[in-house]
Amino acid sequence: ITGKRITTVTGSGGIGPASRDLEAEQWRLEQDIVDLKDELQIAKAVHDYKPCIYGQPKKVQDIGSEEGKRMVAIKKKQEETRARAAEKLQEQTKQEAKEILEKEEAEYTREIKSLEDKLDEKLKQNAEMNASRDKKVKSWQKEVEKNTRKRDEEEQDTLKLKAEVKEMEDKLAASDLRTKRASKKI
């Protein structure tokens, strides 16, 4: 038991930084507990050990080999206990990992759903803006077409008026010419 680390259950021994990783400290404590249980089992086995030579109907010839057999049986039992504990710990770890993965997957799914909802909302807003823009463009195109027709009509009217003015000027010039001829004759 000498050389073992002794800490309190809360993980704060008063030495070292106060911001320790609690999970790592808890794991260390669990490992210390497992080691201490193993040593306790060995101590109980040694304390309760009675050589198998007592109470035997016939005398045991090789006491050392008989004790060795008993020690091998004790160590084998201890190794089996450790293997079961390791298997149990592995199963617990697998279960915890599965729960963490399910939790993360659920959170990821919620986040994806939230992003999809936001995307759908933005697409809807974009469609509304496009419809409004298209409506305005059509309105402006109609206005431009109307103004173009009006300008074309005004240009045609202007051309007609210019033609009429030119015709009137020609008539006036002809009339002036006749008037000058008539005044010359007079």
Side-chain angles (χ1 to χ4, degrees):
I1 297 181
T2 60
K4 289 288 180 185
R5 182 170 17 103
I6 299 174
T7 58
T8 62
V9 178
T10 60
S12 60
I15 300 172
S19 63
R20 289 185 178 163
D21 185 10
L22 292 179
E23 292 178 10
E25 193 63 31
Q26 183 180 4
W27 179 83
R28 285 189 199 109
L29 288 174
E30 289 172 359
Q31 293 303 310
D32 287 347
I33 289 170
V34 168
D35 291 342
L36 289 173
K37 282 183 180 179
D38 290 343
E39 289 180 17
L40 181 62
Q41 287 177 352
I42 292 171
K44 281 183 180 178
V46 168
H47 183 270
D48 294 340
Y49 173 71
K50 291 182 184 175
C52 59
I53 58 172
Y54 295 113
Q56 296 280 337
K58 63 180 185 174
K59 189 175 182 183
V60 175
Q61 295 298 325
D62 190 7
I63 295 174
S65 69
E66 204 55 46
E67 286 179 353
K69 289 179 187 176
R70 290 285 273 188
M71 291 303 289
V72 166
I74 290 171
K75 286 183 179 181
K76 184 177 179 183
K77 189 174 182 182
Q78 180 183 10
E79 288 173 2
E80 289 173 355
T81 305
R82 281 186 179 174
R84 282 193 302 271
E87 186 177 315
K88 184 178 178 183
L89 180 64
Q90 188 176 12
E91 288 297 320
Q92 286 176 346
T93 305
K94 283 181 181 179
Q95 184 64 29
E96 288 175 4
K98 183 180 177 183
E99 290 172 1
I100 289 171
L101 285 174
E102 288 173 355
K103 180 182 173 186
E104 290 296 323
E105 187 174 321
E107 184 176 324
Y108 176 74
T109 304
R110 278 194 308 271
E111 192 173 315
I112 290 293
K113 178 68 176 154
S114 171
L115 290 173
E116 285 175 349
D117 291 343
K118 287 180 182 177
L119 178 63
D120 289 342
E121 184 179 324
K122 291 293 182 185
L123 288 173
K124 185 179 177 183
Q125 287 177 352
N126 192 20
E128 289 174 358
M129 288 172 55
N130 284 340
S132 174
R133 186 191 69 221
D134 290 344
K135 190 176 180 181
K136 286 179 182 177
V137 165
K138 286 180 182 178
S139 171
W140 292 337
Q141 285 176 344
K142 286 181 183 177
E143 190 75 26
V144 166
E145 288 174 5
K146 181 181 171 185
N147 289 339
T148 304
R149 278 193 307 261
K150 188 175 180 182
R151 188 194 71 210
D152 289 345
E153 288 173 1
E154 287 177 353
E155 283 179 359
Q156 287 176 358
D157 289 344
T158 304
L159 289 174
K160 282 181 187 177
L161 288 174
K162 283 182 180 180
E164 287 177 6
V165 167
K166 179 121 172 119
E167 187 181 321
M168 291 172 116
E169 285 177 349
D170 290 343
K171 284 181 183 178
L172 183 61
S175 173
D176 277 346
L177 191 58
R178 274 185 261 145
T179 308
K180 282 182 184 180
R181 283 185 198 160
S183 55
K184 273 186 183 182
K185 286 182 183 177
I186 301 185

